[in-house]
Amino acid sequence: MVTKEKLKDYAAKLMFDMDDEGYDRTLKEFETIEKHMALIGEIDNISEISPMTFPYEIYHASLREDKALECLTNEEVLSNAKDTKANQVKVPKVVG
Amino acid sequence: METIMDLRKSLDDKKVTSEELFKKSNTLAHKYQEEYNSFVTIIDDYKHVNSNSLIDGIPFAIKDNFSTKGILTTASSNILKDYVPVYDATAYKKLIESGGVLVGKTVLDELAMGGTGTTGHTGIVKNPWDKSRQIGGSSAGSASSVALGIVPFSIGSDTGDSIRKPASFGGIVGFKPTYGRISRYGLFAFASSLDHVGCFTRCVRDAAIVTDILKGKDERDMTSLPDENINYVDLLDNDIKGKKLFYIKELTDLNLYKDSGSETIEVLNKFKETIEKLKSIGFIIEEVSFDEKLLKAIYPAYMTISCAEATSNNSNLTGIPFGPRGEGDNINDIMFDARTKGFSELIKRRFILGSYILQRENQERLFKNAQRLRRIIVDKTNELFKTYDAMILPAGGGIAPKFDSEIDRMSPRYLMLENHLVIANFGGFPSITIPSGFVNNMPIAINITGRQFEDGLVLNIANKIEEQLGYKGIIKEEYDV
């Protein structure tokens, strides 16, 4: 059973929060979501099927040559960061 | 409305210059912006790299979830509202190197997660055929910019139906080729196992031209397919003799949709008329049954897989290396704050759903079962493709919805007719939507989906159908409806 507390926990695990009304609307939405999910469960013998994670099976992974491709410059990498120092992204101290 | 080939001829005959075409597109982009909101960014400087390709000198637009070096790229989300990429997406790079001229970056549903064109951070996108209606999404601005005649072609992404559905609402062609045919490098990932790059055009031939430019192996996308050195445009010979198509009974049977309203009935009746027309020119078309239970589970399985994959793909949006920096004393609080402020509620709801699906206790029942359902659907479709060359279906169950309209999400229309295009994402099948007529003065469309890797066959069938139906290059201003 999905509850508002659980929804808050799911959101927190993905590192964001919502206002209370947002959680109410989400909880309401879950009534339909649960009904939708039940439609998958109705398929006969579904548990016997192997899950599909890619559109087709004849997939051959190929490794590219071990050579350097064009790389971004340090300046480019940092160009969108709001705070930088000594060629790095600056954040508050992580280790005390 | 002029196609890429029309413009090619005008350019080659020196009746117009590329810069004049760009200025015309730029003027139209500005003219329609307030009314329809196709663009996040309109480019005002003409930039052109000479090439001998068919699109050399021709203006185009691209969805704002493709990375464009030095040009604002927002994915229509506040969390990327100031982001200026430092590299080019492969698809964009290929177009520029082929002489394409960028007119603008188009509005999408936030992070490409939506089908209405109403959730972008810069406002809603309106349908050129009727401003009180949606153009659909998520590639909303890419669809409207072509439907308005601003550009002859545009680029979009399609995870569930995000090119093919808005194309159907806008009276234009929308094509997504086989999964991997076009590199996804530089496309902001939504659900990696379902994401496709594709195009909007005014006719099928143009879709072949654009795909010819975009396709090919990319060292930066390990899922990209090797180029087979085929030019799809050269395969358009209109020879469809003996080609066998099928449509799905449960997606066209009037009895199943008798409570869906007169519009749906009209769409389905027109579809049957189209089928008869196509039989008369030599197509062999048969009805097959697919199992209603399976069809009704497609949309839930799509939501499950796509939301789960999206939660992981979007974990890079922290506001630290890029994006608005959040407030807080430590790095966790900073990220938490940036994500809380940066995502709209709709996106958060999809992420919560993804998080729920991926909880240890739900993975087997929800995530794995959705992936199992995906296999059942793809296997069944592949089995049908052993007998048939392609599947033909109405693109949806109605015309472009009004902004204030609501649909019963448990209805057969919503669960089956409005969401079956996802089948082509599940299996990576090449899939194209082309205009097939009008209902209540709004365009409707049919969709043709074919075997994996046989993009040329799908384009050839669609080209023949387009020729027969006669709705090529329609645009409201030039078309009397």
Side-chain angles (χ1 to χ4, degrees):
Chain A
M1 178 70 184
V2 176
T3 61
K4 213 158 137 177
E5 285 61 41
K6 280 189 179 172
L7 293 181
K8 283 186 181 177
D9 175 52
Y10 301 150
K13 282 174 174 158
L14 291 181
M15 302 192 77
F16 64 80
D17 200 2
M18 268 198 298
D19 57 30
D20 226 38
E21 292 77 34
Y23 286 112
D24 286 336
R25 283 187 284 268
T26 312
L27 197 59
K28 178 89 189 138
E29 195 178 54
F30 261 73
E31 290 171 16
T32 310
I33 288 169
E34 286 290 356
K35 285 183 199 161
H36 279 171
M37 298 301 172
L39 293 170
I40 306 176
E42 280 177 20
I43 308 299
D44 298 336
N45 304 322
I46 191 152
S47 59
E48 293 164 19
I49 309 289
S50 158
M52 185 182 211
T53 56
F54 199 71
Y56 38 81
E57 303 297 324
I58 51 165
Y59 172 63
H60 304 289
S62 56
L63 294 175
R64 65 175 173 85
E65 288 299 309
D66 186 19
K67 61 178 184 199
L69 296 176
E70 190 188 328
C71 286
L72 299 175
T73 64
N74 207 297
E75 196 182 32
E76 284 172 331
V77 172
L78 298 176
S79 63
N80 276 286
K82 292 290 171 278
D83 205 358
T84 61
K85 191 179 177 184
N87 271 341
Q88 294 178 65
V89 178
K90 189 181 166 200
V91 293
K93 217 176 195 180
V94 177
V95 183
Chain B
M1 181 64 202
E2 288 179 309
T3 65
I4 291 176
M5 286 311 285
D6 295 332
L7 295 172
R8 175 79 273 127
K9 192 166 184 323
S10 299
L11 284 163
D12 290 348
D13 293 347
K14 308 219 181 301
K15 286 182 181 154
V16 70
T17 67
S18 163
E19 192 162 359
E20 284 165 356
L21 287 181
F22 170 79
K23 277 188 180 154
K24 191 179 161 199
S25 287
N26 176 268
T27 305
L28 286 174
H30 282 292
K31 179 184 161 189
Y32 290 132
Q33 182 57 15
E34 204 180 316
E35 223 171 332
Y36 295 97
N37 192 38
S38 301
F39 297 96
V40 177
T41 304
I42 296 173
I43 307 295
D44 292 318
D45 297 327
Y46 171 71
K47 272 188 193 158
H48 174 224
V49 177
N50 281 318
S51 151
N52 59 2
S53 94
L54 289 173
I55 65 152
D56 181 45
I58 293 176
F60 74 95
I62 190 165
K63 192 171 175 177
D64 208 31
N65 58 349
F66 284 86
S67 193
T68 48
K69 189 173 179 177
I71 301 168
L72 182 73
T73 302
T74 66
S76 287
S77 178
N78 274 318
I79 203 153
L80 289 166
K81 66 183 173 60
D82 301 317
Y83 176 64
V84 180
V86 290
Y87 70 99
D88 284 332
T90 299
Y92 170 69
K93 198 172 177 194
K94 283 190 170 192
L95 292 169
I96 293 298
E97 286 171 354
S98 300
V101 182
L102 183 67
V103 170
K105 303 289 304 285
T106 60
V107 174
L108 55 147
D109 277 302
E110 185 176 359
L111 300 171
M113 296 173 77
T116 58
T118 62
T119 65
H121 76 311
T122 55
I124 63 171
V125 184
K126 294 178 183 169
N127 191 310
W129 294 85
D130 177 350
K131 275 186 285 181
S132 69
R133 294 179 184 275
Q134 301 169 7
I135 183 70
S138 66
S139 310
S142 287
S144 64
S145 61
V146 173
L148 282 163
I150 297 171
V151 282
F153 77 96
S154 66
I155 304 304
S157 60
D158 187 317
T159 304
D161 56 19
S162 282
I163 290 174
R164 295 159 294 147
K165 203 66 183 287
S168 77
F169 292 152
I172 56 177
V173 171
F175 178 52
K176 74 149 202 72
T178 300
Y179 181 89
R181 182 66 71 206
I182 302 174
S183 165
R184 290 180 291 115
Y185 178 71
L187 165 70
F188 298 171
F190 163 11
S192 306
S193 81
L194 301 166
D195 288 347
H196 294 65
V197 177
C199 59
F200 294 90
T201 57
R202 311 216 61 87
C203 66
V204 175
R205 180 169 292 272
D206 284 359
I209 291 171
V210 175
T211 308
D212 278 335
I213 287 163
L214 296 177
K215 69 186 168 64
K217 183 79 188 164
D218 180 6
E219 279 191 325
R220 295 177 190 267
D221 175 1
M222 65 178 283
T223 66
S224 58
L225 292 168
D227 197 344
E228 292 159 336
N229 293 317
I230 296 170
N231 265 336
Y232 296 127
V233 73
D234 296 338
L235 298 179
L236 301 179
D237 60 3
N238 276 349
D239 180 11
I240 51 87
K241 202 168 165 236
K243 290 285 175 265
K244 284 181 84 171
L245 313 181
F246 73 93
Y247 61 87
I248 295 172
K249 181 177 188 292
E250 292 83 358
L251 293 173
T252 50
D253 186 352
L254 291 174
N255 292 322
L256 278 166
Y257 301 99
K258 57 181 187 298
D259 298 328
S260 299
S262 58
E263 205 177 273
T264 303
I265 299 298
E266 210 175 327
V267 166
L268 294 179
N269 279 330
K270 292 222 163 170
F271 176 73
K272 294 284 165 69
E273 283 171 27
T274 301
I275 293 299
E276 291 312 312
K277 250 189 225 173
L278 299 180
K279 280 181 181 171
S280 74
I281 59 161
F283 282 108
I284 299 158
I285 308 179
E286 293 173 353
E287 180 179 90
V288 302
S289 180
F290 202 93
D291 185 346
E292 200 177 320
K293 259 188 181 177
L294 286 177
L295 291 167
K296 283 183 172 166
I298 289 176
Y299 175 70
Y302 163 72
M303 284 300 281
T304 305
I305 296 167
S306 65
C307 288
E309 290 190 21
T311 56
S312 146
N313 275 328
N314 288 294
S315 61
N316 66 336
L317 302 175
T318 59
I320 305 261
F322 51 84
R325 180 71 70 95
E327 290 167 19
D329 297 333
N330 61 65
I331 196 158
N332 275 351
D333 288 354
I334 289 173
M335 288 195 274
F336 203 95
D337 187 55
R339 287 167 70 84
T340 297
K341 288 174 181 161
F343 298 131
S344 72
E345 186 186 311
L346 279 167
I347 289 297
K348 288 176 182 172
R349 283 197 233 153
R350 287 222 185 180
F351 286 165
I352 287 177
L353 176 56
S355 180
Y356 163 71
I357 289 158
L358 292 175
Q359 296 304 307
R360 191 184 300 271
E361 65 272 22
N362 295 332
Q363 277 187 22
E364 184 63 27
R365 180 177 68 93
L366 301 177
F367 192 47
K368 292 278 172 64
N369 271 354
Q371 292 177 318
R372 290 178 179 116
L373 191 276
R374 179 178 184 179
R375 182 178 299 281
I376 297 174
I377 298 290
V378 173
D379 283 355
K380 205 170 164 65
T381 310
N382 275 327
E383 197 56 36
L384 285 162
F385 283 148
K386 285 182 184 166
T387 308
Y388 299 96
D389 294 292
M391 167 166 81
I392 182 166
L393 286 167
I399 57 175
K402 293 257 185 193
F403 284 107
D404 56 1
S405 73
E406 292 215 0
I407 185 165
D408 172 4
R409 287 177 180 251
M410 290 306 291
S411 66
R413 177 178 163 187
Y414 186 77
L415 287 170
M416 297 196 284
L417 207 39
E418 295 298 350
N419 283 296
H420 67 81
L421 294 179
V422 168
I423 293 171
N425 299 80
F426 278 180
F429 304 114
S431 183
I432 190 165
T433 293
I434 62 171
S436 63
F438 292 90
V439 166
N440 294 338
N441 293 334
M442 290 297 290
I444 57 166
I446 53 163
N447 175 265
I448 300 130
T449 295
R451 296 183 199 109
Q452 292 152 347
F453 317 113
E454 296 195 25
D455 306 83
L457 178 62
V458 168
L459 288 163
N460 201 31
I461 289 170
N463 194 49
K464 181 68 181 179
I465 295 176
E466 176 186 73
E467 180 191 275
Q468 181 62 24
L469 298 182
Y471 297 105
K472 179 177 163 180
I474 52 171
I475 188 166
K476 195 187 179 195
E477 277 62 32
E478 298 171 8
Y479 205 86
D480 186 21
V481 290

mmCIF file with all atom_site columns, all heavy atoms in Angstrom, chain B residues 306-320:
data_model
loop_
_atom_site.group_PDB
_atom_site.id
_atom_site.type_symbol
_atom_site.label_atom_id
_atom_site.label_alt_id
_atom_site.label_comp_id
_atom_site.label_asym_id
_atom_site.label_entity_id
_atom_site.label_seq_id
_atom_site.pdbx_PDB_ins_code
_atom_site.Cartn_x
_atom_site.Cartn_y
_atom_site.Cartn_z
_atom_site.occupancy
_atom_site.B_iso_or_equiv
_atom_site.pdbx_formal_charge
_atom_site.auth_seq_id
_atom_site.auth_comp_id
_atom_site.auth_asym_id
_atom_site.auth_atom_id
_atom_site.pdbx_PDB_model_num
ATOM 1   N N   . SER B 1 306 ? 10.198 3.258  -18.675 1.00 0.00 ? 306 SER B N   1
ATOM 2   C CA  . SER B 1 306 ? 10.749 4.587  -18.982 1.00 0.00 ? 306 SER B CA  1
ATOM 3   C C   . SER B 1 306 ? 11.001 5.399  -17.708 1.00 0.00 ? 306 SER B C   1
ATOM 4   O O   . SER B 1 306 ? 12.035 6.060  -17.591 1.00 0.00 ? 306 SER B O   1
ATOM 5   C CB  . SER B 1 306 ? 9.848  5.352  -19.949 1.00 0.00 ? 306 SER B CB  1
ATOM 6   O OG  . SER B 1 306 ? 8.604  5.638  -19.370 1.00 0.00 ? 306 SER B OG  1
ATOM 7   N N   . CYS B 1 307 ? 10.087 5.338  -16.747 1.00 0.00 ? 307 CYS B N   1
ATOM 8   C CA  . CYS B 1 307 ? 10.290 6.114  -15.518 1.00 0.00 ? 307 CYS B CA  1
ATOM 9   C C   . CYS B 1 307 ? 11.468 5.557  -14.710 1.00 0.00 ? 307 CYS B C   1
ATOM 10  O O   . CYS B 1 307 ? 12.234 6.314  -14.120 1.00 0.00 ? 307 CYS B O   1
ATOM 11  C CB  . CYS B 1 307 ? 9.027  6.125  -14.654 1.00 0.00 ? 307 CYS B CB  1
ATOM 12  S SG  . CYS B 1 307 ? 7.741  7.155  -15.361 1.00 0.00 ? 307 CYS B SG  1
ATOM 13  N N   . ALA B 1 308 ? 11.592 4.231  -14.718 1.00 0.00 ? 308 ALA B N   1
ATOM 14  C CA  . ALA B 1 308 ? 12.705 3.628  -13.981 1.00 0.00 ? 308 ALA B CA  1
ATOM 15  C C   . ALA B 1 308 ? 14.037 4.046  -14.609 1.00 0.00 ? 308 ALA B C   1
ATOM 16  O O   . ALA B 1 308 ? 14.966 4.472  -13.915 1.00 0.00 ? 308 ALA B O   1
ATOM 17  C CB  . ALA B 1 308 ? 12.574 2.104  -13.986 1.00 0.00 ? 308 ALA B CB  1
ATOM 18  N N   . GLU B 1 309 ? 14.111 3.954  -15.935 1.00 0.00 ? 309 GLU B N   1
ATOM 19  C CA  . GLU B 1 309 ? 15.365 4.337  -16.603 1.00 0.00 ? 309 GLU B CA  1
ATOM 20  C C   . GLU B 1 309 ? 15.635 5.837  -16.438 1.00 0.00 ? 309 GLU B C   1
ATOM 21  O O   . GLU B 1 309 ? 16.788 6.262  -16.309 1.00 0.00 ? 309 GLU B O   1
ATOM 22  C CB  . GLU B 1 309 ? 15.317 3.954  -18.095 1.00 0.00 ? 309 GLU B CB  1
ATOM 23  C CG  . GLU B 1 309 ? 15.357 2.449  -18.330 1.00 0.00 ? 309 GLU B CG  1
ATOM 24  C CD  . GLU B 1 309 ? 15.565 2.078  -19.807 1.00 0.00 ? 309 GLU B CD  1
ATOM 25  O OE1 . GLU B 1 309 ? 16.054 2.906  -20.591 1.00 0.00 ? 309 GLU B OE1 1
ATOM 26  O OE2 . GLU B 1 309 ? 15.219 0.934  -20.155 1.00 0.00 ? 309 GLU B OE2 1
ATOM 27  N N   . ALA B 1 310 ? 14.558 6.632  -16.433 1.00 0.00 ? 310 ALA B N   1
ATOM 28  C CA  . ALA B 1 310 ? 14.732 8.088  -16.343 1.00 0.00 ? 310 ALA B CA  1
ATOM 29  C C   . ALA B 1 310 ? 15.313 8.520  -15.001 1.00 0.00 ? 310 ALA B C   1
ATOM 30  O O   . ALA B 1 310 ? 16.125 9.449  -14.934 1.00 0.00 ? 310 ALA B O   1
ATOM 31  C CB  . ALA B 1 310 ? 13.395 8.787  -16.575 1.00 0.00 ? 310 ALA B CB  1
ATOM 32  N N   . THR B 1 311 ? 14.908 7.842  -13.943 1.00 0.00 ? 311 THR B N   1
ATOM 33  C CA  . THR B 1 311 ? 15.409 8.242  -12.623 1.00 0.00 ? 311 THR B CA  1
ATOM 34  C C   . THR B 1 311 ? 16.928 8.114  -12.576 1.00 0.00 ? 311 THR B C   1
ATOM 35  O O   . THR B 1 311 ? 17.617 8.952  -11.999 1.00 0.00 ? 311 THR B O   1
ATOM 36  C CB  . THR B 1 311 ? 14.824 7.367  -11.493 1.00 0.00 ? 311 THR B CB  1
ATOM 37  O OG1 . THR B 1 311 ? 15.110 6.014  -11.792 1.00 0.00 ? 311 THR B OG1 1
ATOM 38  C CG2 . THR B 1 311 ? 13.346 7.556  -11.348 1.00 0.00 ? 311 THR B CG2 1
ATOM 39  N N   . SER B 1 312 ? 17.420 7.079  -13.226 1.00 0.00 ? 312 SER B N   1
ATOM 40  C CA  . SER B 1 312 ? 18.861 6.873  -13.228 1.00 0.00 ? 312 SER B CA  1
ATOM 41  C C   . SER B 1 312 ? 19.543 7.849  -14.189 1.00 0.00 ? 312 SER B C   1
ATOM 42  O O   . SER B 1 312 ? 20.550 8.477  -13.851 1.00 0.00 ? 312 SER B O   1
ATOM 43  C CB  . SER B 1 312 ? 19.111 5.405  -13.586 1.00 0.00 ? 312 SER B CB  1
ATOM 44  O OG  . SER B 1 312 ? 20.270 5.257  -14.314 1.00 0.00 ? 312 SER B OG  1
ATOM 45  N N   . ASN B 1 313 ? 18.990 8.012  -15.392 1.00 0.00 ? 313 ASN B N   1
ATOM 46  C CA  . ASN B 1 313 ? 19.603 8.914  -16.375 1.00 0.00 ? 313 ASN B CA  1
ATOM 47  C C   . ASN B 1 313 ? 19.683 10.361 -15.891 1.00 0.00 ? 313 ASN B C   1
ATOM 48  O O   . ASN B 1 313 ? 20.589 11.097 -16.271 1.00 0.00 ? 313 ASN B O   1
ATOM 49  C CB  . ASN B 1 313 ? 18.822 8.869  -17.691 1.00 0.00 ? 313 ASN B CB  1
ATOM 50  C CG  . ASN B 1 313 ? 19.264 7.720  -18.581 1.00 0.00 ? 313 ASN B CG  1
ATOM 51  O OD1 . ASN B 1 313 ? 20.428 7.344  -18.568 1.00 0.00 ? 313 ASN B OD1 1
ATOM 52  N ND2 . ASN B 1 313 ? 18.343 7.179  -19.345 1.00 0.00 ? 313 ASN B ND2 1
ATOM 53  N N   . ASN B 1 314 ? 18.707 10.763 -15.110 1.00 0.00 ? 314 ASN B N   1
ATOM 54  C CA  . ASN B 1 314 ? 18.668 12.165 -14.689 1.00 0.00 ? 314 ASN B CA  1
ATOM 55  C C   . ASN B 1 314 ? 19.333 12.411 -13.334 1.00 0.00 ? 314 ASN B C   1
ATOM 56  O O   . ASN B 1 314 ? 19.209 13.497 -12.765 1.00 0.00 ? 314 ASN B O   1
ATOM 57  C CB  . ASN B 1 314 ? 17.220 12.673 -14.683 1.00 0.00 ? 314 ASN B CB  1
ATOM 58  C CG  . ASN B 1 314 ? 16.695 12.844 -16.100 1.00 0.00 ? 314 ASN B CG  1
ATOM 59  O OD1 . ASN B 1 314 ? 17.169 13.692 -16.848 1.00 0.00 ? 314 ASN B OD1 1
ATOM 60  N ND2 . ASN B 1 314 ? 15.733 12.029 -16.479 1.00 0.00 ? 314 ASN B ND2 1
ATOM 61  N N   . SER B 1 315 ? 20.038 11.392 -12.845 1.00 0.00 ? 315 SER B N   1
ATOM 62  C CA  . SER B 1 315 ? 20.727 11.587 -11.561 1.00 0.00 ? 315 SER B CA  1
ATOM 63  C C   . SER B 1 315 ? 21.929 12.517 -11.720 1.00 0.00 ? 315 SER B C   1
ATOM 64  O O   . SER B 1 315 ? 22.510 12.963 -10.741 1.00 0.00 ? 315 SER B O   1
ATOM 65  C CB  . SER B 1 315 ? 21.154 10.242 -10.975 1.00 0.00 ? 315 SER B CB  1
ATOM 66  O OG  . SER B 1 315 ? 22.039 9.605  -11.867 1.00 0.00 ? 315 SER B OG  1
ATOM 67  N N   . ASN B 1 316 ? 22.311 12.811 -12.971 1.00 0.00 ? 316 ASN B N   1
ATOM 68  C CA  . ASN B 1 316 ? 23.443 13.742 -13.180 1.00 0.00 ? 316 ASN B CA  1
ATOM 69  C C   . ASN B 1 316 ? 23.020 15.202 -13.003 1.00 0.00 ? 316 ASN B C   1
ATOM 70  O O   . ASN B 1 316 ? 23.868 16.088 -12.999 1.00 0.00 ? 316 ASN B O   1
ATOM 71  C CB  . ASN B 1 316 ? 24.049 13.538 -14.585 1.00 0.00 ? 316 ASN B CB  1
ATOM 72  C CG  . ASN B 1 316 ? 23.087 13.922 -15.692 1.00 0.00 ? 316 ASN B CG  1
ATOM 73  O OD1 . ASN B 1 316 ? 21.876 13.920 -15.493 1.00 0.00 ? 316 ASN B OD1 1
ATOM 74  N ND2 . ASN B 1 316 ? 23.611 14.256 -16.854 1.00 0.00 ? 316 ASN B ND2 1
ATOM 75  N N   . LEU B 1 317 ? 21.726 15.433 -12.875 1.00 0.00 ? 317 LEU B N   1
ATOM 76  C CA  . LEU B 1 317 ? 21.254 16.815 -12.736 1.00 0.00 ? 317 LEU B CA  1
ATOM 77  C C   . LEU B 1 317 ? 21.302 17.213 -11.261 1.00 0.00 ? 317 LEU B C   1
ATOM 78  O O   . LEU B 1 317 ? 20.330 17.077 -10.525 1.00 0.00 ? 317 LEU B O   1
ATOM 79  C CB  . LEU B 1 317 ? 19.835 16.949 -13.312 1.00 0.00 ? 317 LEU B CB  1
ATOM 80  C CG  . LEU B 1 317 ? 19.719 16.547 -14.788 1.00 0.00 ? 317 LEU B CG  1
ATOM 81  C CD1 . LEU B 1 317 ? 18.269 16.582 -15.265 1.00 0.00 ? 317 LEU B CD1 1
ATOM 82  C CD2 . LEU B 1 317 ? 20.581 17.452 -15.675 1.00 0.00 ? 317 LEU B CD2 1
ATOM 83  N N   . THR B 1 318 ? 22.451 17.671 -10.845 1.00 0.00 ? 318 THR B N   1
ATOM 84  C CA  . THR B 1 318 ? 22.688 17.958 -9.425  1.00 0.00 ? 318 THR B CA  1
ATOM 85  C C   . THR B 1 318 ? 22.893 19.437 -9.154  1.00 0.00 ? 318 THR B C   1
ATOM 86  O O   . THR B 1 318 ? 22.949 19.856 -8.003  1.00 0.00 ? 318 THR B O   1
ATOM 87  C CB  . THR B 1 318 ? 23.970 17.233 -8.955  1.00 0.00 ? 318 THR B CB  1
ATOM 88  O OG1 . THR B 1 318 ? 25.059 17.706 -9.777  1.00 0.00 ? 318 THR B OG1 1
ATOM 89  C CG2 . THR B 1 318 ? 23.844 15.730 -9.101  1.00 0.00 ? 318 THR B CG2 1
ATOM 90  N N   . GLY B 1 319 ? 23.061 20.218 -10.203 1.00 0.00 ? 319 GLY B N   1
ATOM 91  C CA  . GLY B 1 319 ? 23.371 21.639 -10.010 1.00 0.00 ? 319 GLY B CA  1
ATOM 92  C C   . GLY B 1 319 ? 24.810 21.900 -9.609  1.00 0.00 ? 319 GLY B C   1
ATOM 93  O O   . GLY B 1 319 ? 25.182 23.015 -9.282  1.00 0.00 ? 319 GLY B O   1
ATOM 94  N N   . ILE B 1 320 ? 25.644 20.856 -9.626  1.00 0.00 ? 320 ILE B N   1
ATOM 95  C CA  . ILE B 1 320 ? 27.048 21.057 -9.218  1.00 0.00 ? 320 ILE B CA  1
ATOM 96  C C   . ILE B 1 320 ? 27.966 21.329 -10.428 1.00 0.00 ? 320 ILE B C   1
ATOM 97  O O   . ILE B 1 320 ? 28.493 22.428 -10.549 1.00 0.00 ? 320 ILE B O   1
ATOM 98  C CB  . ILE B 1 320 ? 27.564 19.853 -8.389  1.00 0.00 ? 320 ILE B CB  1
ATOM 99  C CG1 . ILE B 1 320 ? 26.643 19.627 -7.201  1.00 0.00 ? 320 ILE B CG1 1
ATOM 100 C CG2 . ILE B 1 320 ? 29.032 20.039 -8.018  1.00 0.00 ? 320 ILE B CG2 1
ATOM 101 C CD1 . ILE B 1 320 ? 27.060 20.161 -5.891  1.00 0.00 ? 320 ILE B CD1 1
#
